[in-house]
Amino acid sequence: MEVWYLFVAASLVGFFNGISPTGITLLVLSLKNQKNIVPALGVSAAFFIVFVVLGGFVYFGLATWLQNILPKDSTVDHILELILAVALFYFGVTIKMKADEPKEITQITFGGVFIASSTVAILEFPLSLPYFAMLQQIHQARLSLENTLIALTIFNVFHVVPLLLLTFASLFIPESYRWVFDWLRLKIMVLGIYLVKFLLIFLSLIGLIDGVGHLMGHPILPF
């Protein structure tokens, strides 16, 4: 009975955790042509694969294993952190949208959407607290390997159900209302560039301060 409870819980938690503002934003951007949903399916595919792979790393202890074989408090790690921080700061400052550029996506492909969505999913994964809570519940239940894989599969399938529902629902939107997607896409592109700049610069400053702090013996991050 406990196994079925976990299966149901995994489906519910996965579904509500899958209502991702970032995922929906990427979905709207990729639906330039609502009659061609193939590129938009790249969003669901990316989130599914990334969460399956990273979730497996966390649950089966591979992340801990990799951490154990790496040298602790290595100066090289902090130098790499500083290099990455400088690179992020450079991209955050230089990235821009020229005023004379058309604020429209000229070409959208499944591969391009998949790569962009995978990057976002990787960044979003550490913030997916419901997923980690579900992994903990599955671990505490001491399930067999077969039931563990089933529970993880259920979670990850339902995790992309909201995105898939929105993707296929776009096929049935009347032509007279398709302007809504164009309006949302334009707003996202105009405002999104400033959000990306802010996040890149913010993360770079955290990395710079933490990297220098580690080298001086006063880190600001606990890892």
Side-chain angles (χ1 to χ4, degrees):
M1 186 67 180
E2 186 178 10
V3 173
W4 289 106
Y5 165 78
L6 279 176
F7 289 169
V8 174
S11 63
L12 293 176
V13 175
F15 181 85
F16 287 106
N17 192 53
I19 305 176
S20 164
T22 53
I24 295 174
T25 298
L26 289 168
L27 187 62
V28 172
L29 288 174
S30 62
L31 283 172
K32 181 180 180 181
N33 179 6
Q34 280 81 43
K35 294 181 180 179
N36 179 18
I37 64 172
V38 173
L41 292 175
V43 181
S44 300
F47 272 81
F48 178 79
I49 293 175
V50 167
F51 272 69
V52 166
V53 173
L54 295 185
F57 266 78
V58 171
Y59 185 82
F60 293 105
L62 296 179
T64 303
W65 177 77
L66 288 174
Q67 188 177 26
N68 289 335
I69 66 174
L70 293 174
K72 292 181 173 59
D73 298 325
S74 173
T75 303
V76 176
D77 292 342
H78 306 314
I79 293 176
L80 292 176
E81 180 183 15
L82 289 173
I83 295 175
L84 178 59
V86 171
L88 289 177
F89 185 83
Y90 172 78
F91 286 117
V93 172
T94 58
I95 188 173
K96 62 182 179 179
M97 179 181 289
K98 297 180 181 178
D100 56 347
E101 287 183 351
K103 297 181 177 66
E104 183 57 81
I105 302 176
T106 56
Q107 185 178 8
I108 298 176
T109 63
F110 178 90
V113 172
F114 180 84
I115 293 174
S117 300
S118 297
T119 303
V120 172
I122 291 172
L123 295 175
E124 186 175 300
F125 179 80
L127 304 178
S128 184
L129 299 182
Y131 194 7
F132 291 110
M134 196 69 241
L135 293 176
Q136 182 181 14
Q137 291 300 314
I138 295 174
H139 178 72
Q140 290 179 349
R142 305 295 182 184
L143 302 179
S144 64
L145 178 60
E146 178 183 358
N147 286 331
T148 296
L149 294 176
I150 291 175
L152 292 175
T153 301
I154 289 175
F155 178 95
N156 286 289
V157 168
F158 276 87
H159 182 251
V160 295
V161 164
L163 295 175
L164 289 173
L165 289 176
L166 290 174
T167 301
F168 287 104
S170 67
L171 292 172
F172 303 97
I173 296 177
E175 289 289 342
S176 57
Y177 289 97
R178 292 186 186 275
W179 64 269
V180 176
F181 279 92
D182 296 329
W183 181 83
L184 287 174
R185 192 179 302 110
L186 179 61
K187 294 299 181 183
I188 290 172
M189 292 186 68
V190 172
L191 299 177
I193 191 69
Y194 296 105
L195 178 60
V196 170
K197 288 174 68 70
F198 170 78
L199 290 176
L200 288 175
I201 294 174
F202 176 77
L203 291 175
S204 68
L205 292 177
I206 294 295
L208 285 171
I209 296 173
D210 183 64
V212 173
H214 269 288
L215 295 177
M216 297 181 64
H218 301 287
I220 64 171
L221 298 178
F223 50 85

